[in-house]
Amino acid sequence: MKARVLILGGTAEARRLAESLSESWDVTTSLAGRTTRPRDLPGRVRVGGFGGGPGLTRYLVDEGIAVLIDATHPYAARMGWNAAAASQEAAVPMVRLERPPWEVRTGDNWHCFQTLSDLVTALPRYGAHALITLGGADLAAFAQARTTRLTIRAIDPPDPPLEHPNFDLILSRGPFDLHGESTLLSERGIDMVVSRNAGGEKTSAKLDAARALGLPVLMLQRPRRPETDCVDTVDDALAWIGRRVD
Ligand code: NAP
């Protein structure tokens, strides 16, 4: 019988890890259920919250999970804390798989913010028309930015719906390239980019376009995480699992 691994997912890395492990492990990927069109995954899939750290602890014990991988998105602020607590309580080894953040490069004009509310307050200092690339959730704070024009790009529409007098919505999953991003910024007269430090290559072209056009980037920093074993690639996660199981 194969040993069971639970991957807390919702990212491309979680999918790739599930694909790599599915031959030799009994893989379950857990999704929060936020995305309306999740892609197919190998192995078992469960959807919805566990009921906090205690709920996840119960799940690990009841399902006989041998290894836990937290591969949730860098901006999923809560699940990592639940996972770290449950891993300790249930004595199930855990590793965090998190892609490295983007680094500032020569010519960049980044302004970093720890909270979304500070970022929204600062918008008028940097421009008049912002490209917002923060996903569709948690955009309610932009209701305060009434004098700033917004172009919001997300996979799903804002939920809850955004109350703002002057915004356009672009629904798109990416990946995006430099030509497309430069055209979007220039043709729409966008003069600042609002981004999270997601890392990876799929959505980094907006930063190259902003650099080329001399536009400021307002960067929302990643949330704080518990101290756990941490790797930044799928290969390193596989090596970590190999070491723990030997
Ligand atoms: P979060 O703040 O860390 O989690 C909120 C609650 O959602 C958790 O306490 C948990 O509920 C449930 N949850 C989160 N991830 C889960 C998972 N993989 N399986 C089962 N339950 C999960 O996370 P979030 O920002 O709401 O994001 C939700 C999911 O979307 C994450 O899995 C993440 O990987 C994915 N995602 C998020 C973003 C983003 O920008 N935040 C972007 C892309 C993908 P219980 O406490 O009841 O267990």
Side-chain angles (χ1 to χ4, degrees):
M1 213 170 65
K2 295 176 183 174
R4 292 196 64 185
V5 58
L6 175 65
I7 302 174
L8 303 172
T11 58
E13 287 80 2
R15 162 186 307 284
R16 291 212 309 278
L17 185 62
E19 284 163 359
S20 301
L21 287 171
S22 61
E23 242 179 56
S24 33
W25 286 78
D26 181 347
V27 179
T28 301
T29 300
S30 174
L31 302 173
R34 306 274 194 279
T35 308
T36 48
R37 298 158 283 140
R39 294 180 178 167
D40 282 345
L41 283 159
R44 310 183 205 206
V45 177
R46 67 163 299 288
V47 180
F50 294 92
L56 179 55
T57 305
R58 270 193 304 280
Y59 182 92
L60 294 175
V61 173
D62 293 350
E63 298 289 322
I65 301 294
V67 176
L68 173 63
I69 318 285
D70 173 18
T72 53
H73 191 270
Y75 284 79
R78 204 168 340 137
M79 200 61 204
W81 294 90
N82 295 351
S87 150
Q88 272 214 318
E89 282 291 313
V92 171
M94 175 189 122
V95 67
R96 164 84 181 148
L97 167 58
E98 180 169 313
R99 74 184 85 132
W102 295 312
E103 304 282 349
V104 183
R105 290 171 47 181
T106 307
D108 277 332
N109 179 12
W110 285 15
H111 303 273
C112 296
F113 297 86
Q114 211 55 57
T115 69
L116 185 56
S117 121
D118 285 350
L119 187 155
V120 170
T121 304
L123 282 171
R125 290 212 298 274
Y126 297 101
H129 184 175
L131 175 66
I132 310 292
T133 59
L134 300 175
D138 297 332
L139 295 183
F142 286 93
Q144 309 304 319
R146 301 189 79 73
T147 58
T148 304
R149 183 166 173 202
L150 308 177
T151 294
I152 295 169
R153 184 173 67 196
I155 296 174
D156 293 310
D159 182 17
L162 176 60
E163 294 188 13
H164 188 280
N166 193 4
F167 81 91
D168 296 321
L169 184 60
I170 301 173
L171 293 181
S172 179
R173 190 187 277 273
F176 306 104
D177 63 20
L178 177 58
H179 176 72
E181 296 295 64
S182 303
T183 306
L184 172 74
L185 296 175
S186 312
E187 286 188 350
R188 290 184 178 241
I190 292 167
D191 57 8
M192 56 183 157
V193 173
V194 174
S195 177
R196 300 185 293 192
N197 198 334
E201 290 178 3
K202 199 174 143 194
T203 60
S204 63
K206 63 190 167 191
L207 304 176
D208 300 330
R211 186 183 315 112
L213 294 166
L215 301 184
V217 174
L218 281 68
M219 189 67 84
L220 185 64
Q221 298 293 75
R222 291 184 175 189
R224 210 168 63 80
R225 298 226 154 252
E227 272 181 37
T228 53
D229 284 6
C230 193
V231 294
D232 58 17
T233 66
V234 169
D235 283 347
D236 286 348
L238 294 170
W240 184 94
I241 293 167
R243 284 197 301 276
R244 295 306 295 235
V245 170
D246 284 348

